[in-house]
Amino acid sequence: EPEVTQTPSHQVTQMGQEVILRCVPISNHLYFYWYRQILGQKVEFLVSFYNNEISEKSEIFDDQFSVERPDGSNFTLKIRSTKLEDSAMYFCASRVGGGDEQFFGPGTRLTVL
Amino acid sequence: EDQVTQSPEALRLQEGESSSLNCSYTVSGLRGLFWYRQDPGKGPEFLFTLYSAGEEKEKERLKATLTKKESFLHITAPKPEDSATYLCAVKTSGSRLTFGEGTQLTVNP
Protein backbone atom coordinates (compact mmCIF):
# COMPACT_ATOMS: atom_id res chain seq x y z
CA GLU A 1 0.00 0.00 0.00
CA PRO A 2 1.44 3.43 -0.92
CA GLU A 3 2.70 5.48 2.01
CA VAL A 4 4.02 8.93 2.72
CA THR A 5 7.66 8.72 3.76
CA GLN A 6 9.73 11.26 5.68
CA THR A 7 13.43 11.72 6.33
CA PRO A 8 15.18 11.96 8.65
CA SER A 9 13.22 10.31 11.44
CA HIS A 10 15.07 12.42 14.01
CA GLN A 11 17.00 15.64 13.50
CA VAL A 12 19.01 17.38 16.20
CA THR A 13 20.21 20.90 15.52
CA GLN A 14 21.60 23.92 17.28
CA MET A 15 19.49 27.04 17.75
CA GLY A 16 19.94 29.39 14.80
CA GLN A 17 20.80 26.65 12.32
CA GLU A 18 18.85 25.90 9.16
CA VAL A 19 17.11 22.56 8.79
CA ILE A 20 15.38 20.89 5.85
CA LEU A 21 12.82 18.20 6.46
CA ARG A 22 12.03 15.94 3.55
CA CYS A 23 8.89 14.12 2.50
CA VAL A 24 7.92 11.87 -0.38
CA PRO A 25 4.13 12.07 -0.78
CA ILE A 26 2.03 9.30 -2.27
CA SER A 27 2.76 9.29 -5.99
CA ASN A 28 -0.62 10.21 -7.48
CA HIS A 29 -1.48 12.79 -4.83
CA LEU A 30 -1.71 16.45 -5.75
CA TYR A 31 -2.10 18.30 -2.45
CA PHE A 32 0.65 18.40 0.15
CA TYR A 33 0.71 19.55 3.75
CA TRP A 34 2.94 20.11 6.73
CA TYR A 35 1.67 19.85 10.29
CA ARG A 36 3.54 19.90 13.57
CA GLN A 37 2.87 18.44 17.01
CA ILE A 38 4.68 19.80 20.02
CA LEU A 39 5.09 17.11 22.66
CA GLY A 40 1.84 16.58 24.55
CA GLN A 41 -0.09 19.05 22.40
CA LYS A 42 -2.47 18.83 19.47
CA VAL A 43 -1.53 18.45 15.84
CA GLU A 44 -1.36 21.92 14.23
CA PHE A 45 -1.61 22.88 10.57
CA LEU A 46 1.32 24.76 9.07
CA VAL A 47 0.89 24.97 5.31
CA SER A 48 -0.79 23.45 2.28
CA PHE A 49 0.74 23.31 -1.20
CA TYR A 50 -0.84 22.70 -4.59
CA ASN A 51 0.29 23.22 -8.15
CA ASN A 52 3.71 24.42 -7.01
CA GLU A 53 2.47 27.16 -4.76
CA ILE A 54 1.27 27.69 -1.21
CA SER A 55 -2.52 27.55 -1.09
CA GLU A 56 -2.97 28.18 2.63
CA LYS A 57 -0.79 28.82 5.66
CA SER A 58 -1.29 29.28 9.37
CA GLU A 59 -0.07 32.01 11.70
CA ILE A 60 2.74 29.66 12.76
CA PHE A 61 4.15 29.59 9.23
CA ASP A 62 6.09 32.84 9.32
CA ASP A 63 9.04 34.06 7.25
CA GLN A 64 11.34 31.54 8.91
CA PHE A 65 9.50 28.72 7.15
CA SER A 66 9.43 27.83 3.48
CA VAL A 67 8.27 24.87 1.41
CA GLU A 68 9.38 23.57 -1.93
CA ARG A 69 8.72 20.75 -4.34
CA PRO A 70 12.17 20.57 -5.94
CA ASP A 71 11.33 17.64 -8.23
CA GLY A 72 8.44 15.34 -9.06
CA SER A 73 8.61 13.34 -5.87
CA ASN A 74 10.00 15.33 -2.94
CA PHE A 75 8.31 17.97 -0.79
CA THR A 76 10.46 19.86 1.70
CA LEU A 77 10.00 22.12 4.70
CA LYS A 78 12.85 24.50 5.50
CA ILE A 79 13.28 26.35 8.76
CA ARG A 80 15.87 29.07 8.22
CA SER A 81 16.94 29.86 11.76
CA THR A 82 15.65 27.36 14.27
CA LYS A 83 14.42 28.36 17.72
CA LEU A 84 14.00 26.25 20.82
CA GLU A 85 10.23 26.41 20.39
CA ASP A 86 10.50 24.77 16.95
CA SER A 87 11.20 21.47 18.69
CA ALA A 88 8.30 19.22 17.68
CA MET A 89 7.23 16.31 15.50
CA TYR A 90 6.72 17.50 11.94
CA PHE A 91 4.29 15.53 9.83
CA CYS A 92 3.92 15.64 6.08
CA ALA A 93 0.56 14.68 4.59
CA SER A 94 -0.84 14.33 1.11
CA ARG A 95 -4.19 13.79 -0.55
CA VAL A 96 -5.47 12.85 -3.92
CA GLY A 97 -7.22 15.47 -6.03
CA GLY A 98 -10.80 14.25 -5.69
CA GLY A 99 -10.82 13.22 -2.03
CA ASP A 100 -10.69 14.90 1.37
CA GLU A 101 -8.69 12.32 3.30
CA GLN A 102 -5.16 13.36 4.16
CA PHE A 103 -2.61 10.60 4.63
CA PHE A 104 0.19 11.31 7.04
CA GLY A 105 3.81 10.25 7.10
CA PRO A 106 5.58 8.85 10.17
CA GLY A 107 7.01 12.25 11.11
CA THR A 108 10.39 13.82 11.76
CA ARG A 109 11.24 14.59 15.36
CA LEU A 110 13.10 17.91 15.41
CA THR A 111 15.09 18.73 18.52
CA VAL A 112 16.57 22.22 18.78
CA LEU A 113 19.28 22.63 21.42
CA GLU B 1 -12.36 30.32 15.19
CA ASP B 2 -12.95 26.60 14.74
CA GLN B 3 -12.81 24.62 17.96
CA VAL B 4 -12.64 20.87 18.48
CA THR B 5 -12.91 19.35 21.95
CA GLN B 6 -12.44 15.67 22.67
CA SER B 7 -13.45 13.79 25.78
CA PRO B 8 -12.42 12.04 27.84
CA GLU B 9 -8.70 12.88 27.71
CA ALA B 10 -7.88 9.32 28.69
CA LEU B 11 -9.90 6.14 28.91
CA ARG B 12 -8.97 2.76 30.31
CA LEU B 13 -11.06 -0.26 29.33
CA GLN B 14 -10.89 -3.95 29.94
CA GLU B 15 -10.73 -6.14 26.86
CA GLY B 16 -14.27 -6.62 25.62
CA GLU B 17 -15.65 -3.57 27.45
CA SER B 18 -17.39 -1.37 24.87
CA SER B 19 -17.36 2.43 25.14
CA SER B 20 -17.56 5.68 23.20
CA LEU B 21 -15.26 8.62 22.61
CA ASN B 22 -16.69 12.08 22.05
CA CYS B 23 -15.68 14.90 19.72
CA SER B 24 -17.65 18.13 19.96
CA TYR B 25 -17.04 20.94 17.51
CA THR B 26 -17.85 24.60 17.02
CA VAL B 27 -17.22 25.61 13.44
CA SER B 28 -18.50 28.06 10.88
CA GLY B 29 -19.49 25.48 8.30
CA LEU B 30 -18.44 21.85 8.52
CA ARG B 31 -17.05 20.38 5.32
CA GLY B 32 -15.90 17.12 6.84
CA LEU B 33 -15.13 15.50 10.18
CA PHE B 34 -12.24 13.05 10.33
CA TRP B 35 -11.15 10.39 12.79
CA TYR B 36 -7.54 9.31 12.99
CA ARG B 37 -5.64 6.84 15.14
CA GLN B 38 -2.18 7.77 16.38
CA ASP B 39 0.26 5.32 17.93
CA PRO B 40 3.12 6.68 20.09
CA GLY B 41 5.83 8.32 17.98
CA LYS B 42 3.91 7.74 14.74
CA GLY B 43 1.86 9.80 12.34
CA PRO B 44 -1.95 9.90 12.40
CA GLU B 45 -3.57 6.99 10.57
CA PHE B 46 -6.79 7.78 8.73
CA LEU B 47 -9.92 5.97 9.93
CA PHE B 48 -13.14 7.72 8.80
CA THR B 49 -14.62 10.78 7.13
CA LEU B 50 -18.14 11.97 7.96
CA TYR B 51 -19.93 14.79 6.19
CA SER B 52 -23.51 15.15 7.37
CA ALA B 53 -25.60 14.63 10.50
CA GLY B 54 -26.90 11.09 10.75
CA GLU B 55 -24.04 9.60 8.78
CA GLU B 56 -22.31 6.50 10.17
CA LYS B 57 -19.16 4.63 9.12
CA GLU B 58 -17.87 1.29 10.42
CA LYS B 59 -14.57 -0.51 10.34
CA GLU B 60 -14.00 -3.69 12.32
CA ARG B 61 -14.70 -2.83 15.99
CA LEU B 62 -15.05 0.92 15.33
CA LYS B 63 -18.12 2.91 14.36
CA ALA B 64 -18.17 6.67 13.88
CA THR B 65 -21.35 8.74 14.00
CA LEU B 66 -22.07 12.42 13.43
CA THR B 67 -24.63 14.92 14.70
CA LYS B 68 -24.81 18.66 14.12
CA LYS B 69 -22.63 19.37 17.15
CA GLU B 70 -20.57 16.27 17.84
CA SER B 71 -19.23 12.97 16.68
CA PHE B 72 -18.83 9.71 18.54
CA LEU B 73 -16.36 6.93 17.99
CA HIS B 74 -17.91 3.74 19.36
CA ILE B 75 -15.56 0.88 20.17
CA THR B 76 -17.22 -2.51 20.46
CA ALA B 77 -15.49 -5.32 22.36
CA PRO B 78 -12.06 -3.66 22.17
CA LYS B 79 -8.81 -5.59 22.12
CA PRO B 80 -5.41 -4.52 23.49
CA GLU B 81 -4.26 -3.69 19.96
CA ASP B 82 -6.91 -0.95 19.85
CA SER B 83 -4.85 0.98 22.41
CA ALA B 84 -3.83 4.29 20.82
CA THR B 85 -4.69 7.97 20.81
CA TYR B 86 -7.78 8.72 18.73
CA LEU B 87 -7.83 12.12 17.08
CA CYS B 88 -10.79 14.04 15.72
CA ALA B 89 -10.31 16.78 13.12
CA VAL B 90 -12.59 19.10 11.17
CA LYS B 91 -12.33 20.76 7.79
CA THR B 92 -14.16 24.03 7.21
CA SER B 93 -12.75 26.47 4.67
CA GLY B 94 -9.76 25.54 2.54
CA SER B 95 -8.33 22.12 3.18
CA ARG B 96 -6.55 22.54 6.50
CA LEU B 97 -7.54 20.15 9.28
CA THR B 98 -8.14 21.47 12.79
CA PHE B 99 -7.45 18.76 15.34
CA GLY B 100 -8.67 18.12 18.85
CA GLU B 101 -6.37 17.13 21.70
CA GLY B 102 -7.19 13.45 21.32
CA THR B 103 -8.38 10.67 23.60
CA GLN B 104 -5.73 8.25 24.82
CA LEU B 105 -7.31 4.80 24.93
CA THR B 106 -5.77 1.91 26.86
CA VAL B 107 -7.31 -1.54 26.60
CA ASN B 108 -6.10 -3.98 29.23
CA PRO B 109 -6.09 -7.72 28.55
Side-chain angles (χ1 to χ4, degrees):
Chain A
E1 186 172 328
E3 292 181 336
V4 176
T5 59
Q6 292 185 243
T7 54
S9 56
H10 191 189
Q11 173 95 42
V12 181
T13 190
Q14 295 291 325
M15 189 170 55
Q17 294 297 302
E18 175 184 287
V19 295
I20 298 176
L21 310 183
R22 291 181 167 80
C23 167
V24 178
I26 295 172
S27 62
N28 64 331
H29 285 192
L30 301 177
Y31 296 81
F32 314 115
Y33 305 85
W34 285 101
Y35 291 81
R36 80 172 185 190
Q37 186 175 31
I38 296 170
L39 187 62
Q41 298 187 22
K42 63 175 69 175
V43 176
E44 300 175 289
F45 169 80
L46 293 177
V47 66
S48 60
F49 191 85
Y50 171 71
N51 200 25
N52 279 321
E53 59 183 30
I54 291 174
S55 48
E56 192 177 0
K57 60 183 181 180
S58 72
E59 315 71 47
I60 303 168
F61 194 88
D62 62 21
D63 292 344
Q64 292 300 312
F65 291 88
S66 63
V67 290
E68 189 179 30
R69 188 153 164 84
D71 53 44
S73 59
N74 290 282
F75 179 50
T76 62
L77 174 69
K78 181 193 292 185
I79 309 175
R80 288 190 182 80
S81 178
T82 50
K83 304 170 189 169
L84 295 176
E85 53 265 37
D86 293 329
S87 294
M89 280 288 281
Y90 287 80
F91 295 109
C92 173
S94 68
R95 73 175 174 94
V96 72
D100 290 324
E101 295 81 12
Q102 296 180 24
F103 294 89
F104 285 73
T108 292
R109 178 170 299 284
L110 177 65
T111 302
V112 182
L113 303 176
Chain B
E1 183 181 331
D2 300 336
Q3 288 197 344
V4 180
T5 304
Q6 292 189 245
S7 61
E9 289 184 12
L11 180 64
R12 285 187 174 273
L13 300 174
Q14 288 299 121
E15 184 171 2
E17 180 186 2
S18 302
S19 188
S20 296
L21 314 182
N22 177 263
C23 170
S24 63
Y25 58 91
T26 306
V27 300
S28 55
L30 184 71
R31 294 173 56 196
L33 184 139
F34 305 82
W35 282 98
Y36 285 84
R37 169 190 171 128
Q38 186 176 29
D39 292 300
K42 303 286 182 63
E45 176 190 342
F46 171 75
L47 294 173
F48 303 110
T49 309
L50 301 166
Y51 290 103
S52 54
E55 189 174 358
E56 298 183 353
K57 294 273 181 73
E58 278 190 75
K59 180 181 179 180
E60 296 181 356
R61 295 177 292 282
L62 300 177
K63 183 169 80 172
T65 62
L66 182 65
T67 72
K68 289 185 178 179
K69 294 183 179 180
E70 58 192 348
S71 177
F72 292 93
L73 185 65
H74 307 277
I75 303 177
T76 303
K79 298 182 178 181
E81 53 261 42
D82 295 322
S83 297
T85 296
Y86 290 86
L87 304 176
C88 171
V90 297
K91 187 180 90 161
T92 54
S93 60
S95 61
R96 72 164 72 185
L97 297 181
T98 300
F99 282 84
E101 301 272 1
T103 293
Q104 185 176 358
L105 174 67
T106 304
V107 182
N108 296 314

